[in-house]
Amino acid sequence: MNKYTPIIGLETHVQLDTKSKLFCSCNNESFDAAPNTNICPICSGQPGTLPVINKTAILYTVKAGIAMHCDINKYSKWDRKSYFYPDLPKGYQISQYDKPLCIGGYIDILLDNKEEKRIRLNRIHLEEDAGKSIHDRSIEYTYLDYNRCGTPLIEIVSEPDLCSASEADKYGKEIRRIVRYLGISRADMEKGHMRFDINVNVKIETDNNETKYTPIVEVKNLNSFKALIKAIEFEINRQIEDFEKTGITKSEKNKTTRLWNDNKGITSQMRTKEEASDYRYFPDPDLVPIILDDDYINNVKKDIPELPIDKLKKYLSLGLENNISNYIVDNKNLADYLDSCLLKIGDNKEMQKEFLNWFGRDFFQLLNQVSSNDKIEDSSVIKITEDDFIELITLIVNKKITRNLAKEFLIDMWDNDKKLIELKQQIPQESLDIDQIINNVLENNQNMIDQYKNGNMKVFNVLIGLVMKESKGLINPKDITNKLKEILEK
Amino acid sequence: MINIEKLKITNIHNSLINKEYTCTELIQSYFNKIKKTNTTYNVFSSLCEEEALEKAKNVDEKIDRNEKIDLLEGIPFSVKDSICTIDGYTQAGSNILKGFKSSFNATVVEKLLNEGAILIGKTNCDSFGHGSSTKNCDYGIVKNPYSLDYVAGGSSGGAAASVALDMCTFAIGEDTGGSIRQPASFCNVYGLKPSYGRNSRYGAISYGSSLDTIGPIANNVEDIKIIEDVIKGVDEKDVTTIYDDKNKTDINVKTIGIIKEFINDGLDKNIKDLFYNRLEEYENKGFIIKEISMPSVKYAIASYYLIACSETSSNLSRFDGVKYGIRSNDTKLEDMYRNTREIGFSFETKKRIILGTYSLSAGYADKYYKKACIARNLIKTEIDNIFNNVDVILAPTCPTLPFEINPTVALDPMTEYLADIYTVMPSLTGICSLNIPLGFINNLPTGMQIIGNRLEEDKIIEFAKI
């Protein structure tokens, strides 16, 4: 049997969330804007205009580069990439060719088996986005919307280190997490903030120890994680089938570009004419090179927050479940909340354990009521202040409050915006005397003590139940167990 | 009617404040001249008479109220068709922009308007600056003010002629490889190609972005100085503009350099004589004349045309019929692109786009575009060394007299390109150069360049006054 290993590289385009566009002062947010209302002579390519660089876009790209472990080029420059398309107003895109801002680097992903895998990067460069061609409004015409023209875009180019659709999915999601953590993009797939181009082929190891490769295929413009996964899976299967049928292997000339059809779930060959491209890159004479010094780069480094993968590993090591840890990491507001609480709790292991139990279980149940989607848009959905949460845990640990009551408080705080200081009034004033209750129960059930001492261990649980009943559930069963054992073993 | 012949800015200013004539009379006189001569010489492509007269009225009211007016207030000027202005059309001498109106003023125009200067119209030029005769202007050839059988030069032919024919007080032109200096020499006027980056390019429709400069054309060097001082300076809209930190350097000239390689068989003998006569005058005045060698200058023409065409092939990609200008009736995208550009661009423009596209193509860029850039750097290094030894360089502006409009023997394209030999060197190296009149041969004017180092405009302007 042949052994097949897919080889996948990704080009990930991420729109940067700067206030203005890359080369003009137009508002960079056009989601709700009517077509062609968010344009100016510069971004619509009017004669006589010149680009002026947005420094924040450079900062954001350097941030991405540092967070993704790239080398930052102290000298980088702008190049024109030429092609004709109606939604490209200048007939060229201002991009970076041989001197991008960031070189090399890597992104670590956590596989399903909890193993870490390093995906090497080739480069990250900064470029301008094109406009949108709208083909489905008319049979006769194509409509053009230039609002998106000039939106800053980083292109993160990976090495072909990915081996499955699932790895590509994890890699893409890791990028999404990182750029959100850095605050450089909202990375909403639905709003087109992130897009993928994939390069796929398959390594074949035959029974007689030959290694062959299928021709490389590029699939452009995948706009969702679903499309990313499906396109990769489709391509892998198609290429293996194709190889088995034709035996054609990779050559320098047979790299092709295919288009993803989301409705049909297939890729299809572009006309060769559409494919033939010579972008005629050359340095843009309207712009000056970007020169960065060590101070600049070091200052950016200081601003890089803890990376999502490191947070994830931290949460897992604290014993939080995998899916919960991932959910927290995906939602920076929540991760910030958790980290802040953990910091306030400090080294107290008992507090930490109790807190994490409550956080991972009860708190999450409450959270799920308000946020069924994968993202918590703003921190106001977290209704319980860090301090109230920690104080509640302190009360539990110090046995000032039963878990049942604590849970009632938690719900009350969440649902009714109650503060712990008000709720504390409801804690029963007379403290429960655990010894007293146990003694009462034992006095009334001398026969069970005898049975226990004769080796009938089952009655132990019955006794626990009776004490629980007597204490109206306000005492921790573990405490009861310990106390009972202590008395009975005496 | 006012005598507007060779009027100087300071004289007009004094006449206006002394109420010798009104600004309205002044502007009206220039328009009368335009109406009398424009059909013959084809200088203007569009006029802004109404707007100009309205502004003149405002100046007059100010003067009537005894308010102070600025030096340029009420002074009429023309702007090359390839530079954006809100008033008038901006067609870059090309069919593809027929009827195009810009939504903004070029930075230099805005600066002049802010000083109160009055825009009276747009002047004809070779389409997108592609040419040195205005034969490549889709709106007709500009005729030489001194003889109708000859061209006014190009590409800023209309600009130079507008000044020479007293159709305005000064003109704003654009120079990529000689497009201000050569027509200035053909029209017997002064024209400054500033150092690259000294004046903002914002609003100049790009020909070769790394070479394009905007500069003034006037009847005298004093006016050149006044205008240049207004339009120079860093512009936040053009990141290639540079800070003029050489203002305080010594503007005295002691040594004059002559580039040996420029004085060859290609130079018209009569022009050569005039040039050497002028050198003798300088020598008699005590200047030291040094012959210098610039071996790399033999690469200048090839390097210039490769770089300029490469850049223009990219700069002109935006003229695709989609957003502005003319569009063919085709219903298929590729046909629309092809035919719009086929009808819209002049032959010369198409030639330069094809040349530039070829030069930038994969597999050829190393051989052409990149090699041209290497040659350019070599020329820059040599010019830096030369300016260590001389204060200014003098050179003819054009090796020949103005070209005939209908020559008995047609010029081959290479000869026309080679005629740019003296002007492209300062363009490639980004230094400044001023054309001053040199004299007449057979009643046709010719000019000479005073070439200065980067940002040494003040030095060459002072020298021109000698």
Side-chain angles (χ1 to χ4, degrees):
Chain A
M1 268 295 279
N2 289 341
K3 188 184 166 216
Y4 298 106
T5 316
I7 304 171
I8 305 157
L10 251 63
E11 287 167 26
T12 310
H13 298 264
V14 181
Q15 285 187 351
L16 298 180
D17 190 20
T18 51
K19 272 207 190 84
S20 55
K21 292 184 181 181
L22 186 52
F23 295 116
C24 64
S25 54
C26 282
N27 189 339
N28 192 28
E29 173 59 70
S30 290
F31 191 69
D32 293 323
N36 299 311
T37 55
N38 207 355
I39 57 172
C40 74
I42 297 171
C43 59
S44 61
Q46 301 284 314
T49 54
L50 297 170
V52 175
I53 184 67
N54 177 344
K55 292 197 176 84
T56 309
I58 292 178
L59 173 70
Y60 283 9
T61 310
V62 172
K63 274 190 176 179
I66 291 171
M68 297 174 195
H69 314 281
C70 305
D71 288 330
I72 307 301
N73 265 333
K74 286 183 196 164
Y75 173 95
S76 64
K77 65 179 181 68
W78 301 101
D79 299 279
R80 293 184 181 178
K81 177 182 180 179
S82 301
Y83 63 93
F84 282 101
Y85 205 69
D87 60 23
L88 188 71
K90 298 189 292 295
Y92 59 83
Q93 178 192 26
I94 303 177
S95 180
Q96 298 191 290
Y97 183 52
D98 54 348
K99 293 275 178 204
L101 271 162
C102 317
I103 285 283
Y106 60 84
I107 290 171
D108 289 332
I109 57 172
L110 214 54
L111 303 179
D112 291 334
N113 61 7
K114 301 268 173 75
E115 254 176 55
E116 226 173 311
K117 179 168 178 177
R118 180 155 293 182
I119 312 302
R120 291 168 304 146
L121 300 183
N122 177 286
R123 60 188 276 159
I124 303 174
H125 68 253
L126 178 57
E127 62 188 21
E128 58 177 342
D129 210 343
K132 277 184 195 156
S133 296
I134 299 143
H135 300 291
D136 54 8
R137 271 185 59 177
S138 151
I139 306 163
E140 241 178 306
Y141 296 103
T142 292
Y143 288 80
L144 293 164
D145 178 4
Y146 290 112
N147 281 347
R148 199 177 70 182
C149 283
T151 290
L153 205 60
I154 52 172
E155 185 175 328
I156 304 161
V157 183
S158 85
E159 296 291 350
D161 288 352
L162 298 155
C163 297
S164 68
S166 154
E167 283 184 20
D169 178 56
K170 289 190 168 62
Y171 166 83
K173 284 178 177 155
E174 197 57 40
I175 289 181
R176 185 173 65 176
R177 283 214 272 237
I178 293 171
V179 297
R180 282 180 180 167
Y181 265 61
L182 297 173
I184 63 173
S185 175
R186 275 170 287 160
D188 286 342
M189 305 293 292
E190 319 81 61
K191 290 185 178 176
H193 295 162
M194 246 177 112
R195 281 136 37 202
F196 304 102
D197 296 345
I198 55 172
N199 279 281
V200 186
N201 70 336
V202 181
K203 181 180 170 187
I204 306 131
E205 286 157 292
T206 63
D207 296 333
N208 40 6
N209 283 331
E210 273 185 297
T211 304
K212 292 175 176 175
Y213 297 89
T214 59
I216 298 174
V217 166
E218 180 174 15
V219 185
K220 282 183 183 277
N221 250 324
L222 300 167
N223 296 319
S224 68
F225 283 105
K226 213 174 97 193
L228 174 72
I229 294 170
K230 283 169 78 180
I232 291 174
E233 283 171 349
F234 179 87
E235 260 313 301
I236 292 170
N237 291 331
R238 191 193 63 77
Q239 289 186 22
I240 293 173
E241 269 175 40
D242 213 47
F243 171 78
E244 283 171 349
K245 243 186 270 166
T246 66
I248 294 173
T249 56
K250 180 177 96 165
S251 77
E252 259 178 45
K253 284 182 184 159
N254 64 5
K255 183 180 169 180
T256 51
T257 303
R258 297 177 71 89
L259 284 178
W260 173 246
N261 185 321
D262 218 19
N263 296 326
K264 292 186 189 161
I266 58 165
T267 65
S268 53
Q269 180 72 54
M270 279 176 105
R271 280 184 294 138
T272 38
K273 215 175 172 186
E274 290 171 316
E275 233 191 290
S277 54
D278 172 4
Y279 293 125
R280 300 192 304 282
Y281 282 102
F282 82 106
D284 191 331
D286 288 333
L287 288 161
V288 291
I290 307 158
I291 313 284
L292 304 174
D293 58 21
D294 286 325
D295 278 355
Y296 179 91
I297 296 167
N298 289 334
N299 277 332
V300 181
K301 271 187 189 153
K302 280 185 215 151
D303 269 357
I304 304 295
E306 185 182 22
L307 290 178
I309 181 94
D310 296 328
K311 277 200 199 293
L312 181 64
K313 286 192 280 185
K314 183 174 75 187
Y315 298 150
L316 290 172
S317 75
L318 287 171
L320 285 168
E321 282 171 43
N322 190 30
N323 60 340
I324 284 178
S325 299
N326 267 299
Y327 183 88
I328 299 167
V329 176
D330 275 336
N331 293 282
K332 187 156 182 299
N333 290 322
L334 197 53
D336 287 345
Y337 181 86
L338 173 57
D339 286 348
S340 178
C341 288
L342 287 171
L343 193 73
K344 284 176 180 169
I345 289 167
D347 286 338
N348 187 331
K349 290 282 174 243
E350 196 187 357
M351 277 288 290
Q352 201 181 72
K353 196 170 167 229
E354 191 68 35
F355 170 75
L356 287 168
N357 276 337
W358 282 84
F359 188 82
R361 192 185 54 225
D362 305 277
F363 182 82
F364 252 71
Q365 280 169 10
L366 294 166
L367 201 59
N368 284 339
Q369 300 167 9
V370 288
S371 177
S372 53
N373 57 6
D374 69 349
K375 205 185 158 204
I376 298 173
E377 286 290 348
D378 87 74
S379 53
S380 68
V381 301
I382 303 172
K383 299 284 190 193
I384 301 167
T385 67
E386 293 164 12
D387 288 339
D388 274 4
F389 201 170
I390 292 168
E391 195 185 342
L392 188 67
I393 301 298
T394 314
L395 290 172
I396 299 165
V397 169
N398 293 338
K399 301 195 175 66
K400 291 282 177 348
I401 184 172
T402 65
R403 286 191 165 71
N404 284 354
L405 191 55
K407 181 156 188 180
E408 275 173 36
F409 281 9
L410 201 70
I411 294 168
D412 218 11
M413 287 195 275
W414 188 285
D415 288 346
N416 306 320
D417 279 332
K418 287 273 175 60
K419 296 283 161 258
L420 188 59
I421 193 154
E422 313 163 39
L423 294 171
K424 275 202 303 196
Q425 318 282 330
Q426 297 171 26
I427 299 174
Q429 283 307 304
E430 85 286 7
S431 60
L432 288 161
D433 189 338
I434 179 165
D435 295 331
Q436 185 64 51
I437 293 171
I438 290 177
N439 284 335
N440 282 344
V441 169
L442 292 179
E443 264 171 38
N444 294 330
N445 295 283
Q446 191 58 47
N447 58 333
M448 290 203 196
I449 300 173
D450 296 341
Q451 285 178 37
Y452 180 80
K453 288 190 169 163
N454 289 332
N456 185 354
M457 294 304 176
K458 278 183 196 163
V459 295
F460 189 74
N461 285 338
V462 180
L463 282 168
I464 292 176
L466 288 169
V467 177
M468 293 270 287
K469 197 179 164 197
E470 197 72 15
S471 69
K472 300 187 181 73
L474 290 177
I475 300 173
N476 189 336
K478 213 183 240 171
D479 294 341
I480 301 172
T481 311
N482 292 341
K483 207 79 197 177
L484 257 180
K485 265 197 182 141
E486 198 184 301
I487 295 168
L488 291 174
E489 309 282 303
K490 238 192 273 182
Chain B
M1 200 48 61
I2 309 161
N3 180 7
I4 51 172
E5 209 176 307
K6 304 280 172 256
L7 277 181
K8 287 176 86 166
I9 291 170
T10 43
N11 294 348
I12 297 175
H13 179 69
N14 290 333
S15 301
L16 286 175
I17 52 178
N18 294 332
K19 300 186 182 173
E20 289 164 32
Y21 47 72
T22 65
C23 187
T24 305
E25 284 172 315
L26 175 78
I27 301 295
Q28 201 69 69
S29 304
Y30 277 108
F31 273 108
N32 285 342
K33 181 71 195 281
I34 291 169
K35 277 167 198 164
K36 253 190 266 169
T37 44
N38 197 45
T39 40
T40 312
Y41 291 94
N42 192 38
V43 170
F44 282 92
S45 52
S46 60
L47 294 169
C48 328
E49 189 171 3
E50 242 174 74
E51 297 94 329
L53 287 169
E54 183 65 33
K55 280 175 189 158
K57 208 176 95 192
N58 292 339
V59 176
D60 285 335
E61 282 168 6
K62 253 177 117 173
I63 295 167
D64 285 345
R65 291 194 301 264
N66 288 322
E67 280 175 41
K68 196 177 164 291
I69 60 163
D70 288 325
L71 184 56
L72 282 178
E73 219 158 333
I75 310 290
F77 71 107
S78 71
V79 171
K80 186 179 182 178
D81 198 21
S82 62
I83 297 170
C84 292
T85 55
I86 295 171
D87 290 344
Y89 293 105
T90 300
Q91 304 173 131
S94 175
N95 256 334
I96 209 157
L97 281 177
K98 197 171 193 138
F100 179 75
K101 283 186 80 80
S102 178
S103 64
F104 62 94
N105 286 320
T107 298
V108 292
V109 173
E110 193 68 22
K111 283 180 168 183
L112 290 166
L113 295 176
N114 285 341
E115 291 293 312
I118 294 175
L119 173 68
I120 58 165
K122 304 297 284 285
T123 57
N124 274 318
C125 58
D126 290 292
S127 61
F128 298 104
H130 296 153
S132 45
S133 62
T134 66
K135 281 185 179 175
N136 307 314
C137 175
D138 288 334
Y139 304 94
I141 298 177
V142 182
K143 308 242 167 79
N144 192 293
Y146 290 87
S147 172
L148 286 169
D149 295 332
Y150 294 84
V151 301
S155 66
S156 310
S162 73
V163 173
L165 289 164
D166 295 314
M167 294 163 134
C168 55
T169 312
F170 69 91
I172 293 298
E174 185 275 333
D175 187 316
T176 303
S179 285
I180 285 176
R181 291 159 287 162
Q182 186 256 29
S185 89
F186 283 10
C187 294
N188 198 39
V189 292
Y190 292 78
L192 174 69
K193 180 213 103 70
S195 308
Y196 184 78
R198 196 188 203 229
N199 300 345
S200 169
R201 288 186 295 125
Y202 190 81
I205 297 178
S206 296
Y207 162 17
S209 312
S210 73
L211 301 151
D212 293 344
T213 55
I214 296 184
I217 296 172
N219 273 310
N220 57 81
V221 70
E222 290 78 13
D223 286 0
I224 293 282
K225 167 84 176 144
I226 291 168
I227 304 151
E228 176 59 19
D229 280 349
V230 168
I231 63 179
K232 71 175 180 186
V234 170
D235 178 12
E236 58 180 24
K237 290 179 183 152
D238 175 2
V239 298
T240 62
T241 48
I242 42 179
Y243 176 60
D244 182 359
D245 56 354
K246 287 211 179 171
N247 253 344
K248 289 180 187 111
T249 57
D250 186 11
I251 55 166
N252 284 325
V253 173
K254 289 188 195 82
T255 29
I256 296 168
I258 306 300
I259 297 172
K260 195 171 74 179
E261 286 80 2
F262 278 177
I263 315 299
N264 57 21
D265 293 346
L267 175 60
D268 181 285
K269 193 186 164 300
N270 294 320
I271 297 176
K272 187 176 165 184
D273 290 346
L274 279 182
F275 181 64
Y276 274 95
N277 289 345
R278 184 67 66 92
L279 285 182
E280 214 177 296
E281 287 172 31
Y282 286 124
E283 209 164 15
N284 293 339
K285 285 177 183 162
F287 292 99
I288 301 158
I289 313 276
K290 264 192 190 171
E291 193 177 79
I292 46 181
S293 178
M294 195 175 180
S296 68
V297 85
K298 60 175 172 286
Y299 305 123
I301 288 283
S303 171
Y304 167 77
Y305 274 99
L306 282 170
I307 290 170
C309 291
S310 296
E311 290 180 2
T312 218
S313 73
S314 168
N315 286 333
L316 268 52
S317 298
R318 68 185 64 195
F319 302 103
D320 57 3
V322 175
K323 304 160 296 287
Y324 38 72
I326 60 160
R327 181 193 290 179
S328 78
N329 295 324
D330 296 281
T331 48
K332 272 189 174 166
L333 180 64
E334 267 183 49
D335 296 342
M336 188 281 281
Y337 278 153
R338 191 176 292 116
N339 290 325
T340 299
R341 288 164 72 86
E342 168 64 28
I343 322 156
F345 287 140
S346 70
F347 177 76
E348 182 65 25
T349 293
K350 278 180 265 192
K351 196 165 85 182
R352 294 191 190 197
I353 291 173
I354 291 167
L355 186 73
T357 305
Y358 184 76
S359 150
L360 288 175
S361 295
Y364 296 98
D366 283 339
K367 230 158 127 188
Y368 299 111
Y369 173 73
K370 285 182 191 161
K371 205 158 249 182
C373 292
I374 292 169
R376 183 183 194 173
N377 282 332
L378 194 67
I379 299 167
K380 271 186 184 166
T381 313
E382 279 192 14
I383 205 75
D384 285 346
N385 289 333
I386 288 169
F387 278 115
N388 287 332
N389 297 310
V390 302
D391 298 315
V392 293
I393 296 168
L394 296 185
T397 301
C398 184
T400 65
L401 288 169
F403 320 131
E404 275 183 90
I405 290 174
N406 295 304
T408 37
V409 185
L411 276 181
D412 73 286
M414 272 314 282
T415 315
E416 241 184 286
Y417 286 180
L418 286 172
D420 294 337
I421 176 71
Y422 303 141
T423 48
V424 296
M425 186 277 283
S427 298
L428 279 173
T429 51
I431 59 179
C432 57
S433 171
L434 173 69
N435 176 79
I436 65 168
L438 187 59
F440 286 80
I441 295 157
N442 305 326
N443 295 322
L444 287 171
T446 189
M448 176 184 88
Q449 295 179 89
I450 304 168
I451 301 167
N453 206 349
R454 230 154 116 82
L455 301 174
E456 293 192 345
E457 276 76 358
D458 287 347
K459 188 186 270 183
I460 59 171
I461 286 170
E462 279 312 302
F463 184 78
K465 291 178 183 168
I466 294 163

